[in-house]
């Protein structure tokens, strides 16, 4: 689809698939209740889970939300880019976007195609990840076509998304900011810019055994699931010792080197990277999970990454929610 046709569709209550630097988005005008309903329907998304709105810059965010000192500082440091703010909403944002909440999720994407479309339409664009609810996020337009089949909306192909996982979501509605979804912009990086400590709901949930009410409706424990059952191990050593790995299963490994051999069994091995670099692993995470699904095998086995790297914590978070079984 040509960019101009996409802009026209968006100006006329239409929806389309656009690349962002994180994952592909299912875009519509944030002011069109009709288009918003189409987005919820196509994704099969519960009406209680609000959408995220994309803007060109912080001054556009000011038109639809009550911004503050934190959002200004962070936008200066990280926008355009993969950081989403939750801010008190202004009246112009319809309740359909926010699922009735009085806050709205906003980010400014850096992908040149998405920015060109934003510039043409001069509207905030809602765009949740372009996957059926709870399924794997798409990092290539082929993933979107495969997921929606004949119902797939028109799209612009932007190749494989550079970052590969969804933006960090940061709650800025109170004086103590807290991370609601781990992502490419790490807790450390945010704290460095703000000069204060920020909370992290994921960590609190783990500490309280998950009893605390969720502040972000889309952050349920099960999400991002492949169709193939995924067995998740705490460490690589544990995975390699597992006797749950059977003939024909798929093993996902961080790096192509060193090669691993299972002389007695035929095991499919897929690699998240050629270098072991966290950015490359993150970029390929959903791509490899989609590839694994296409093989239509009985099980996928993968291990969590050791704690320490902020980006890989976000990868661990996605793996935890994709898991069918934990070891
Ligand atoms: O990188 C991204 O953020 C991608 C690209 C396309 O921009 N979008 C994306 O959208 O991941 P979505 O809808 O799949 O995830 C947005 C998350 C959801 O978990 C949703 O529950 C949460 O943001 N969210 C939206 N509005 C919120 C609000 N007012 N308060 C708390 N959480 C909110
Ligand atoms: Mg999503």
């Amino acid at each position: 689809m040509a960019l101009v046709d996409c802009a026209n569709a968006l100006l006329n209550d239409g929806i389309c698939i656009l690349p962002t630097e994180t994952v592909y988005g299912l875009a519509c005008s944030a002011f069109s209740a009709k288009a918003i309903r189409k987005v919820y329907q196509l994704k099969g998304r519960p009406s209680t889970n609000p959408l995220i709105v994309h803007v060109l810059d912080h001054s556009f965010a000011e038109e639809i939300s009550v911004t503050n000192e934190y959002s200004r500082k962070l936008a200066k440091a990280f926008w355009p880019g993969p950081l989403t703010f939750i801010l008190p909403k202004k009246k112009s944002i319809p309740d359909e976007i926010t699922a009735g909440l009085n806050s709205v999720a906003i980010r400014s994407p850096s992908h040149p195609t998405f920015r060109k479309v934003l510039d043409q339409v001069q509207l905030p664009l809602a765009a949740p990840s372009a996957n059926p609810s709870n399924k794997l996020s798409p990092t290539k337009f082929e993933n979107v076509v495969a997921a929606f089949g004949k119902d797939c909306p028109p799209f612009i192909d932007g190749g494989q998304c550079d970052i590969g996982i969804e933006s960090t979501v940061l709650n800025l509605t109170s004086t103590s900011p807290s991370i609601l979804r781990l992502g490419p912009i790490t807790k450390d990086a945010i704290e460095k810019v703000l000069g204060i400590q920020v909370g992290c709901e994921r960590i609190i949930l783990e500490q309280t055994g998950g009893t605390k009410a969720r502040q972000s409706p889309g952050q349920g424990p099960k999400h991002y699931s492949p169709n193939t059952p995924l067995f998740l191990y705490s460490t690589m050593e544990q995975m390699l010792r597992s006797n749950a790995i059977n003939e024909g299963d798929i093993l996902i490994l961080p790096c192509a080197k060193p090669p691993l051999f299972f002389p007695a069994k035929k095991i499919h091995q897929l690699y998240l990277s050629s270098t072991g670099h966290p950015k490359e692993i993150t970029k390929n995470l959903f791509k490899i999970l989609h590839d694994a699904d296409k093989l239509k095998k009985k099980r996928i086995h993968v291990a969590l990454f050791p704690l320490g790297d902020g980006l890989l914590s976000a990868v661990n978070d996605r793996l935890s929610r994709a898991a069918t079984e934990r070891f």
Side-chain angles (χ1 to χ4, degrees), residues 177-180 182 187 198-205:
S178 68
I179 293 175
L180 304 182
L182 293 171
K187 184 170 181 286
V198 304
C200 183
E201 196 189 57
R202 277 304 282 171
I203 297 167
I204 296 168
L205 273 178

Side-chain angles (χ1 to χ4, degrees), residues 1-20 24-29 35 38-39 42 113-114 117 121 125-130 144 148 151-157:
M1 177 185 223
L3 208 131
V4 53
D5 297 329
C6 169
N8 276 333
L10 294 169
L11 288 168
N12 288 289
D13 301 322
I15 60 177
C16 56
I17 308 291
L18 291 176
T20 85
Y24 276 75
L26 175 49
C28 74
S29 160
K38 288 185 200 167
V39 166
L42 184 64
T113 304
F114 205 115
V117 175
V121 296
L125 293 177
S129 53
V144 186
F148 292 122
D151 295 328
C152 189
F155 57 82
I156 296 183
D157 178 8

Side-chain angles (χ1 to χ4, degrees), residues 11-299:
L11 288 168
N12 288 289
D13 301 322
I15 60 177
C16 56
I17 308 291
L18 291 176
T20 85
E21 71 279 23
T22 57
V23 301
Y24 276 75
L26 175 49
C28 74
S29 160
F31 295 148
S32 165
K34 189 172 166 193
I36 295 164
R37 275 197 296 277
K38 288 185 200 167
V39 166
Y40 273 96
Q41 195 181 15
L42 184 64
K43 274 184 70 77
R45 185 167 179 135
S47 58
T48 48
N49 189 1
L51 304 182
I52 154 178
V53 175
H54 298 67
V55 294
L56 270 176
D57 55 36
H58 195 263
S59 65
F60 277 85
E62 278 164 22
E63 289 179 21
I64 56 173
S65 69
V66 184
T67 58
N68 56 41
E69 198 49 38
Y70 294 152
S71 68
R72 263 187 292 283
K73 278 190 185 162
L74 291 166
K76 204 162 171 223
F78 300 115
W79 277 12
L83 179 60
T84 297
F85 305 141
I86 307 295
L87 291 164
K89 86 176 195 79
K90 285 191 177 163
K91 277 213 178 77
S92 55
I93 287 293
D95 288 340
E96 283 87 350
I97 289 274
T98 62
L101 296 176
N102 51 17
S103 59
V104 59
I106 307 178
R107 85 175 186 100
S108 177
S110 66
H111 196 289
T113 304
F114 205 115
R115 295 190 68 74
K116 276 187 204 145
V117 175
L118 278 171
D119 193 41
Q120 289 238 336
V121 296
Q122 290 290 311
L123 283 174
L125 293 177
S129 53
N131 52 292
S133 200
N134 289 339
K135 291 294 176 186
L136 295 173
S137 289
T139 54
K140 293 164 84 180
F141 87 89
E142 289 92 337
N143 303 148
V144 186
V145 177
F148 292 122
K150 63 173 179 28
D151 295 328
C152 189
F155 57 82
I156 296 183
D157 178 8
Q160 188 181 348
C161 300
D162 249 356
I163 293 177
I165 58 167
E166 309 80 352
S167 61
T168 305
V169 177
L170 181 69
N171 186 2
L172 292 179
T173 59
S174 81
T175 46
S176 351
S178 68
I179 293 175
L180 304 182
R181 176 172 74 184
L182 293 171
I185 304 294
T186 63
K187 184 170 181 286
D188 281 357
I190 293 169
E191 288 179 340
K192 223 173 252 167
V193 169
L194 294 184
I196 53 166
Q197 288 209 322
V198 304
C200 183
E201 196 189 57
R202 277 304 282 171
I203 297 167
I204 296 168
L205 273 178
E206 268 145 33
Q207 285 168 351
T208 59
T211 51
K212 184 176 167 285
R214 256 180 286 131
Q215 288 182 46
S216 193
Q219 296 303 292
K222 194 87 171 93
H223 209 108
Y224 314 111
S225 306
N227 297 320
T228 316
L230 185 141
F231 286 25
L232 181 64
Y233 301 84
S234 300
T235 63
M236 177 69 76
E237 292 70 35
Q238 196 191 11
M239 175 171 87
L240 296 177
R241 281 199 313 265
S242 167
N243 41 30
I245 301 178
N246 286 302
E247 185 92 14
D249 282 359
I250 301 168
L251 220 58
I252 297 182
L253 298 161
C255 188
K257 287 177 219 144
L260 288 173
F261 296 103
F262 290 86
K265 295 177 188 166
K266 191 172 177 309
I267 307 289
H268 294 261
Q269 293 179 39
L270 297 176
Y271 305 105
L272 290 167
S273 74
S274 55
T275 58
H277 195 283
K279 276 196 175 152
E280 199 193 350
I281 290 172
T282 309
K283 177 172 176 172
N284 288 325
L285 175 71
F286 285 126
K287 177 193 174 294
I288 293 294
L289 289 172
H290 279 288
D291 289 350
D293 251 354
K294 272 189 247 150
L295 292 172
K296 295 201 183 317
K297 298 293 174 189
K298 276 226 177 87
R299 290 168 219 91

Side-chain angles (χ1 to χ4, degrees), residues 299-320:
R299 290 168 219 91
I300 299 169
H301 304 266
V302 61
L304 288 169
F305 290 90
L307 288 180
D309 183 279
L311 195 52
L312 293 179
S313 300
V315 170
N316 281 347
D317 169 68
R318 303 303 188 271
L319 287 174
S320 305

